[in-house]
Amino acid sequence: MTDEMIIRREGVAAFLTLNRPGAIHALTQGMDHAMTDALLQWRGDDAVQVVIIDHSEGRGFCAGGDIAFLRNSALNDGGVSGRKFFYEEYQLNHLLMTYPKPVVAFMDGITMGGGVGISQPAKFRVATENTRFAMPETGIGLFPDVGGGWHLSRLNGQMGQFLALTGARLDGAECLWTGLATHYLPHDVLADAKARLVHAHDPAQVLAALSVTPPAARIEANAAQIARHFASDRYEDILASLEADDSVWAAKELATLRTKSPQTCKVALRQLHDSLECADFAQNMVMEYRIASRVLTRPDFAEGVRAVIVDKTMDPKWDPATPEGVSDELINSIFAPLPADEEWKPL
């Protein structure tokens, strides 16, 4: 157990409990290391039959990664420590994705960025009435990483492109409807669910027995519009499609996109397109690390974090300022291979 993580065993279950309530359990390097070390230790331990990822008190699940640390790296060490953070976080994401034992992630609260990265690889992803899921990276000039390219690109009906570009927040019912969650449980039965898992009960049966029918998924009503307007891999086409639609919904989404980093939006579309051509999750993470190593020190990231998180002025000055200003050459350079000794590798 560290201050930031509570790692424990109970019965046949092993728990990874995020414990930074003051930061909505945002992931630090120490938390990533602690989870990785525990997972490696449990992998060959026959007494561990299920791994549970949850959070301690507060509005968790997990609000993301340590953005302040990453910005500090971009501004003060040329991105060296930030790249190390990404490298190791992506190894944790891959370890979870390929883990030989069932993992149950309880997304009972805010689940964003890095929180998506540690919950989406889980075989069982539990949403509740408290779930607020988003990949909001276009608003801070980063990109939907931690495996976002893989998870989002494989959603139906261009839903991944919509979530990646707009940073839209989904509730628990919407997570279940889109497939981002596998089960919907009321918050007040989670303790019972965990208690049953501790006593060697099959996770699929436990979660099925305690699942309830969620409210209607609000996003379902907009699914046809999302599929139509977000069909192109060209950002300019998506904007033009929304501009040509005089509905209130289209105007709202267009206004949202106008506040986002044009560079990040183009990166995200290319990322989701290319991910579908990746043979496996490791190949996806190689791509995402190439992107991360470069956008970390591009102007938009430090500026986006300044405007949204540090100063909270919500007035980022993007560079390039327009979609047209983000050239194919710039995007290609962000996706280009790294020197062989710098490429990402799984554990």
Side-chain angles (χ1 to χ4, degrees):
M1 174 173 168
T2 70
D3 288 344
E4 298 175 338
M5 287 293 308
I6 302 169
I7 295 175
R8 65 186 178 88
R9 299 267 297 272
E10 187 178 347
V12 301
F15 287 79
L16 297 171
T17 302
L18 311 179
N19 189 40
R20 287 185 77 208
I24 318 180
H25 312 290
L27 301 176
T28 65
Q29 248 175 330
M31 295 165 78
D32 287 343
H33 291 169
M35 284 189 276
T36 297
D37 290 346
L39 287 164
L40 291 174
Q41 184 181 334
W42 295 332
R43 190 164 59 180
D45 186 340
D46 292 341
V48 175
Q49 295 178 20
V50 62
V51 174
I52 293 169
I53 307 177
D54 61 1
H55 72 280
S56 63
E57 62 185 334
R59 295 187 297 133
F61 177 63
C62 173
D66 194 342
I67 293 296
F69 171 86
L70 292 170
R71 181 174 188 263
N72 186 58
S73 171
L75 294 175
N76 297 310
D77 71 12
V80 172
S81 59
R83 283 191 289 273
K84 186 170 189 288
F85 181 96
F86 284 128
Y87 196 100
E88 294 172 349
E89 184 180 21
Y90 296 179
Q91 287 184 323
L92 170 62
N93 301 145
H94 181 266
L95 177 60
L96 284 164
M97 192 74 177
T98 57
Y99 207 62
K101 304 183 183 206
V103 178
V104 184
F106 287 94
M107 307 187 299
D108 181 39
I110 293 169
T111 304
M112 296 184 183
V116 173
I118 59 171
S119 57
Q120 280 304 298
K123 181 176 183 180
F124 302 100
R125 303 177 299 279
V126 179
T128 73
E129 68 272 25
N130 297 325
T131 302
R132 295 294 178 270
F133 178 106
M135 290 296 273
E137 290 80 6
T138 53
I140 57 168
L142 195 55
F143 73 110
D145 67 330
V146 294
W150 183 274
H151 305 304
L152 295 178
S153 65
R154 285 156 176 81
L155 299 179
N156 292 328
Q158 305 303 113
M159 198 59 66
Q161 285 76 0
F162 171 74
L163 295 174
L165 293 179
T166 65
R169 297 188 181 196
L170 302 188
D171 62 24
E174 292 172 307
C175 286
L176 186 69
W177 186 83
T178 56
L180 291 161
T182 59
H183 295 80
Y184 185 92
L185 273 62
H187 167 81
D188 61 9
V189 305
L190 298 188
D192 184 18
K194 293 172 193 178
R196 295 188 194 191
L197 293 172
V198 161
H199 292 105
H201 291 286
D202 175 47
Q205 292 179 359
V206 168
L207 297 175
L210 294 173
S211 288
V212 298
T213 302
R218 292 171 304 170
I219 200 164
E220 186 177 0
N222 300 320
Q225 290 165 284
I226 289 169
R228 184 168 86 250
H229 290 304
F230 288 79
S232 177
D233 293 322
R234 261 189 98 248
Y235 187 43
E236 290 89 342
D237 292 347
I238 292 171
L239 295 173
S241 182
L242 289 166
E243 283 171 350
D245 183 336
D246 59 5
S247 71
V248 172
W249 179 88
K252 174 175 159 289
E253 299 306 335
L254 184 62
T256 295
L257 292 178
R258 295 292 189 206
T259 69
K260 307 301 185 183
S261 158
Q263 170 195 286
T264 303
C265 290
K266 287 201 171 185
V267 164
L269 287 173
R270 165 80 176 269
Q271 173 197 0
L272 268 60
H273 171 273
D274 288 6
S275 179
L276 288 174
E277 298 174 358
C278 291
D280 56 24
F281 191 68
Q283 209 173 79
N284 179 85
M285 298 318 292
V286 169
M287 171 182 69
E288 292 194 10
Y289 182 70
R290 292 171 180 173
I291 302 169
S293 68
R294 290 168 174 130
V295 300
L296 177 65
T297 52
R298 295 269 318 148
D300 276 7
F301 177 58
E303 170 63 6
V305 176
R306 176 207 67 76
V308 175
I309 293 168
V310 178
D311 297 340
K312 294 182 169 57
T313 52
M314 303 299 171
D315 61 346
K317 305 292 185 284
W318 302 123
D319 178 16
T322 64
E324 295 74 20
V326 182
S327 67
D328 291 345
E329 290 75 16
L330 172 57
I331 297 300
N332 288 338
S333 72
I334 288 171
F335 280 78
L338 290 162
D341 61 338
E342 294 177 26
E343 291 275 32
W344 181 88
K345 296 176 182 65
L347 286 164

